[in-house]
Amino acid sequence: MNMHPDCERIMLSEEQLRSRVKEIALQVDKAFEGKRPLVVGILKGSIIFYSDFIRHLSMPVELDFMAVSSYGSGAVSSGKLNIKKDLDKDVQGRDVIIVEDIIDSGFTLANLKALLLERKAQSVTIVTLLDKESRREYDIEPDYNCFMIENEFVIGYGLDYNEQYRHLPYIGILKRSVYEK
Ligand code: IMP
Ligand code: MG
């Protein structure tokens, strides 16, 4: 496989992503049998995972999106989630599935889940592609996660560094020299 020169190495290949995403999607599909969930993708990082994930679902689903940002990640998080684009749909009484690229400190998903429950969603289920478990600072866990990863900065398959690399079809570890200059 052609690797981008800014990658240290490939962590998850296209084939690994394809088969694990399918496996998780089928589990979710089964768990929601008879329901009609609202599948919420968190922009922009989840786009590729989201589009692969939903294509394995056989239940009736509705799609919606949100874009959020946290002011200052990690040590200096302000404790407030900034909603850049809100949902089109009303979540009251709905079973909501949040699809997110990665859970790191847990700030984003802890706040999003609380927000959707405050808006009276019937249930909120979190599906993540990646989990950097060792970085968790907030009391939140995904209900479904595709891959546990070490504390490395990763790019590709939707994930970016300064809005670059989202289109790479694999998950790669970004070279330190790229962000340490
Ligand atoms: P949290 O709110 O600290 O859990 O951060 C989650 C967000 O941080 C994700 O939605 C990503 O946008 C970003 N993020 C965390 N780790 C990485 C990474 O290794 N690569 C790219 N983005 C990351
Ligand atoms: Mg994100």
Side-chain angles (χ1 to χ4, degrees):
M1 191 191 303
N2 271 339
M3 190 176 74
H4 192 287
D6 292 349
C7 274
E8 185 70 45
R9 66 178 170 87
I10 291 174
M11 180 186 267
L12 297 164
S13 68
E14 289 186 67
E15 188 43 47
Q16 284 174 293
L17 290 161
R18 193 174 10 252
S19 72
R20 181 62 175 154
V21 169
K22 179 175 183 181
E23 187 174 48
I24 288 293
L26 295 181
Q27 284 178 27
V28 174
D29 199 42
K30 203 165 181 192
F32 279 81
E33 215 178 312
K35 294 189 171 151
R36 197 187 183 86
L38 184 66
V39 186
V40 174
I42 309 305
L43 301 172
K44 304 170 205 164
S46 76
I47 55 162
I48 300 182
F49 173 43
Y50 185 95
S51 62
D52 284 346
F53 173 81
I54 58 171
R55 281 180 289 174
H56 294 294
L57 304 176
S58 60
M59 60 187 166
V61 292
E62 284 177 63
L63 314 184
D64 207 343
F65 299 92
M66 265 179 114
V68 298
S69 65
S70 46
Y71 301 104
S73 54
V76 285
S77 63
S78 72
K80 192 106 177 90
L81 194 69
N82 177 28
I83 299 177
K84 295 192 286 187
K85 183 225 171 288
D86 208 336
L87 296 170
D88 294 334
K89 300 267 165 55
D90 182 2
V91 299
Q92 184 167 359
R94 301 294 306 267
D95 294 304
V96 179
I97 300 174
I98 300 178
V99 178
E100 173 64 309
D101 54 358
I102 184 167
I103 179 165
D104 188 41
S105 73
F107 174 85
T108 307
L109 285 171
N111 280 280
L112 263 180
K113 184 171 183 173
L115 176 71
L116 297 180
L117 289 173
E118 203 174 288
R119 291 180 182 177
K120 306 221 161 34
Q122 167 141 307
S123 68
V124 177
T125 300
I126 296 173
V127 181
T128 52
L129 177 68
L130 305 172
D131 184 350
K132 275 189 200 173
E133 205 181 21
S134 67
R135 297 255 309 160
R136 199 78 84 256
E137 293 170 38
Y138 295 82
D139 184 23
I140 184 95
E141 294 303 328
D143 298 282
Y144 299 88
N145 171 54
C146 298
F147 301 95
M148 287 287 183
I149 66 167
E150 297 299 314
N151 185 18
E152 308 262 20
F153 197 87
V154 290
I155 51 168
Y157 199 70
L159 290 101
D160 75 310
Y161 173 68
N162 280 346
E163 295 299 327
Q164 297 291 306
Y165 315 113
R166 292 192 196 275
H167 63 298
L168 300 179
Y170 49 83
I171 299 272
I173 297 177
L174 185 63
K175 279 185 181 160
R176 285 190 166 267
S177 58
V178 176
Y179 56 91
E180 281 179 354
K181 16 180 198 223

